[in-house]
Amino acid sequence: MDTLNDGLYRRFIKRFLDFLLSLLTLIILSPVFIIIAFLVRTKLGSPILFKQQRPGLNNQIFTMYKFRTMTDEKDDKGKLLPDNIRLTKFGKFLRSTSLDELPELINILKGDMSLIGPRPPLLVEYLPLYNEFQRRRHEVRPGLSGWAQVNGRNSINWEDKFNFDVEYVNKVSFALDCKIILLTIKKVFAREGIHSDNSVTVEPFRGSNRKVYNE
């Protein structure tokens, strides 16, 4: 019975809850959206939203939305300055509180993403670097938060992230999603795992053949 219920949740109930909860959250937090948008425009300039192509369910490409956290400062040759220079104090605040990710609720409403699922951190051009095991993370919609995020977020390496992602794909359930939501709230308030040890943003993925998770 549990397997049947989990199957119904994965196929039908999860998407319905995503739509309903993202719509309600967008309505409730609309004043917060307006305030953040004004501050981003004032402190960082335009555009207010950062848009980027990311792979989603079944490797389908979608445009992910986030609040902008970096400036467009360039050197005398017209090349963008390093991330640690362009990432402002205000931008760091948005990232540490995860407020920069609020526009992803629009992606959830559209059906590009889910409230819970593997995060969509990699650019489209990185898709060929996945091995067969790692590509399984695209068997479900990417999430605003996920199993890897509550188990280390950016402080763990790529192999561990993929391990948690595939573990989630194999165990999707209402109970697990509720657990991840509660742990996410705790992590956000504690501001844990925002950065890796070696980078102010996410370290680049260079490919790996190592399979970690065992079913």
Side-chain angles (χ1 to χ4, degrees):
M1 181 63 71
D2 288 342
T3 301
L4 177 60
N5 289 338
D6 290 345
L8 289 173
Y9 176 72
R10 180 193 287 254
R11 292 185 180 88
F12 306 109
I13 301 174
K14 183 175 174 67
R15 174 59 193 145
F16 172 75
L17 291 178
D18 283 339
F19 180 86
L20 180 63
L21 293 176
S22 61
L23 179 61
L24 290 175
T25 305
L26 279 168
I27 294 172
I28 294 171
L29 295 183
S30 57
V32 177
F33 268 73
I34 294 173
I35 292 172
I36 295 176
F38 174 77
L39 291 174
V40 170
R41 179 66 179 83
T42 301
K43 295 178 178 292
L44 301 176
S46 61
I48 293 171
L49 293 181
F50 171 76
K51 302 177 183 179
Q52 197 167 64
Q53 298 289 295
R54 299 290 176 93
L57 177 64
N58 298 323
N59 291 330
Q60 294 297 308
I61 308 304
F62 71 97
T63 301
M64 187 181 74
Y65 308 113
K66 299 178 73 172
F67 279 121
R68 182 179 178 184
T69 58
M70 292 185 181
T71 67
D72 286 331
E73 293 178 86
K74 300 178 181 179
D75 59 22
D76 54 5
K77 296 181 180 179
K79 183 178 180 180
L80 287 173
L81 294 175
D83 290 349
N84 62 331
I85 296 178
R86 295 189 297 117
L87 182 60
T88 65
K89 183 177 181 180
F90 175 64
K92 290 179 181 178
F93 169 76
L94 290 180
R95 290 190 179 195
S96 67
T97 56
S98 295
L99 289 172
D100 65 313
E101 297 177 359
L102 285 180
E104 290 173 35
L105 289 167
I106 300 172
N107 289 120
I108 298 172
L109 194 64
K110 291 171 58 181
D112 299 326
M113 294 177 57
S114 176
L115 286 171
I116 302 299
R119 285 291 298 160
L122 294 181
L123 302 176
V124 175
E125 52 261 39
Y126 288 150
L127 280 175
L129 298 178
Y130 285 120
N131 60 36
E132 183 177 353
F133 169 74
Q134 294 162 348
R135 278 191 288 271
R136 291 205 57 216
R137 71 194 303 277
H138 294 301
E139 292 178 10
V140 297
R141 287 183 177 87
L144 184 64
S145 184
W147 195 222
Q149 277 56 54
V150 298
N151 282 285
R153 198 174 175 179
N154 290 335
S155 64
I156 59 177
N157 60 42
W158 282 109
E159 283 79 10
D160 288 339
K161 287 180 183 179
F162 289 130
N163 181 36
F164 285 120
D165 287 345
V166 176
E167 183 179 358
Y168 175 79
V169 169
N170 290 336
K171 298 181 178 180
V172 175
S173 69
F174 178 73
L176 180 57
D177 280 3
C178 288
K179 179 179 180 178
I180 293 173
I181 289 174
L182 293 176
L183 289 173
T184 298
I185 295 172
K186 177 183 176 181
K187 293 284 184 179
V188 168
F189 279 104
R191 301 189 185 184
E192 296 177 356
I194 305 300
H195 306 305
S196 69
D197 293 334
N198 303 315
S199 175
V200 297
T201 55
V202 178
E203 292 182 18
F205 176 61
R206 306 186 189 284
S208 171
N209 292 318
R210 182 160 68 94
K211 175 178 177 179
V212 184
Y213 177 69
N214 293 315
E215 298 184 28

